[in-house]
Amino acid sequence: MQGLRAIAVGLVVVYHLWPERLTGGYVGVDVFFVISGFLITSHLIKKPPRTPKDLAQFYGRRIRRLLPAAFVVLAATAAAARLVAPPTLWEGIAKEVIASALYVQNWVLAGSSVDYLAVENEPTPTQHFWSLSVEEQFYFLWPVLILAVFWAAGRARLKPMALVRPAVAMVFAASLAFSVYATATEPGSAYFITPTRMWELAAGGMIATLTPLAATRLNPAANAILAWIGVAAIVIAGLTFTDATPFPGYAAALPVLGTALVILAASGHRLSPATMFAARPIQWLGGVSYSVYLWHWPLIVLLPYISGGNLGWLDKLVILAATLVLAALSKTFIEDRFSFTRAAQSLVPTYRFAAAGMAVLVAAGGLQLAEVGFRTQQAQQQLAAAENSNDPCLGAAAVANGAEECQPDPDVPLVPDPALAKEDRPAAYADQCWSNSPFTDRPVCEYGDGETQVALVGNSHAGHWLPALQVLAEKNDWTISTYLVSRCNPTDVPLQFDTQEKTDNCREYGDWVLDQTTGGQYDLVVTSERQSVPVQGESWKTTEEPAVEGYLSYLAEWDKAGTNVLVIKDPPYPGNEISSIPDCLAENDGDAAACSGTPSEWHWIDPLYTAARELGSRHIGTVNLDGYFCPKGSCEGAIGSVVTYSDGSHITATYAKTLAPYLEQPIRDALRG
């Protein structure tokens, strides 16, 4: 079994360090799931729990085996993150430390995976606890199932195995069916949640109920070949799968069944994988695989905050060496000591340790959240003071008034504070004015109560203009009605989402918006988009031209109806250059220039704006405010002491408000058609 563990952890670590070289290395987690399901089921079948005390003893063994090392890593990670990670990440890390300590991290990540804005967040150093959470939830539920099956067999006077196999098979089938469904409908959350993964653990459980092939009359050489086929299946998945592979679903069957085949073969033949697995380095790596898994990811996430950049080869080799050293120490002084010390066999100290460890970690996370809350309160007061100061050089006004009048002052604190800037979003988020995946909702929110009716249409890059429009609505007696959708672009071409349902729903949403806004109900439609996904069937390299065509026909419908439309060009944003402007500013406190770039570096396609310019209709106007983001050829993460972006592409609500004066005249012109 150590050989399979070595393969599993090797796949995961290499994938995390060199994802471009081992694109499917994440399947190592699936190998671990099958191994865990096999070992736990084997144990439970040999010593089935029959009373609550038996269950308590089983859980106690799991606590002593797994929690000590996990608690040490979580505590060390929380402390290290507080010292080296920027303040913008403290809240997210604290929440995930708590979730990891309570073994619900997979559900937290499942929730954030369907949150478009959260997807752009920096990874936290405890994210890898999602798989451990799945296993712990399995360890909690599985012995209860086995106990119930043995009890039912006793009541029916049947041999226990006559019911164990069907019960395990039912869990396998139900979970696999749900995994396929969930992966096809919401793959982001499907990757993390327990019901989509239970069949992988049940696959190992099913093997535990069968006779090993090595104990049958099967030819030993043939059995060895079967074992190699299983290893090959795992390796093929690791080499050929990518982040685009729908997973887990059907695809997970390759590494899962490959692992199951290796275990079922149980071949000790000299030509089998057992010869390779018997090598001392592989046996050692398998023995420390749990600690390797625990330590490698925090090192990968936190080291760049020390080294000051992306991980190079030397950094990765240091991480690899440090991981192996820490794993060896953890195995010797934590895992083995807690697992085999006689004093730890008593249930009371075991459960007391688990409760105390969780309480300490939850308290540490809570203290960190309290500190974040205090800093946020101070930042909000600072922001309110800045907005009420009538500073002629605040935000975009610094560009309008020129460098001579508005000299940058590095001693003036940024507003919002970078940590607060990450949450500085339009009111539409708090008001739940979004059609989120799978785009079946049709929310419409109104801001203002004036006679002039303005519709704001588009995805989140239309939504981030709402604060500026609210300022103008209050000043000019307008009403802003929002038709906002996350990621989807209202257009006439299908977009490439991760499921066909989302693609179809996005098209339907765009048709609905067009119908709602072309009947003369609105004096003006303001729209802006980010091309978040490519056109269906196209790559990013080929998507611009068909995307423009889709917008040309869509805009033409508004034009034919005589609807006045103003297209706001999507401003340059750092995107791949800088994943989060607030994080960058927090890391480079006092050096905002480190978070800047050129227009060519921050450029992204804007097919909606291109289509509007090509159409050349008097009803379809355009406005380009790029100069307020990239004055004098340099795109800035902070302008006029205001943080410009709340992440890697969305404008902060504060900076959007300062742009209102420069958006007013283009809107007035557009209202006149």
Side-chain angles (χ1 to χ4, degrees), residues 59 71 99 108 210 222 279 301 336 366 379 400 404 425 445 466 520 563 628 642:
Y59 296 141
F71 285 170
V108 171
L210 302 176
V301 173
D336 292 347
E404 291 186 4
R425 300 170 183 165
C445 295
L466 178 60
T563 304
Y628 293 99
V642 176

Side-chain angles (χ1 to χ4, degrees), residues 158-179:
L158 296 172
K159 291 183 178 181
M161 294 307 296
L163 293 184
V164 169
R165 287 195 188 97
V168 173
M170 288 177 61
V171 173
F172 176 89
S175 174
L176 176 58
F178 181 74
S179 181

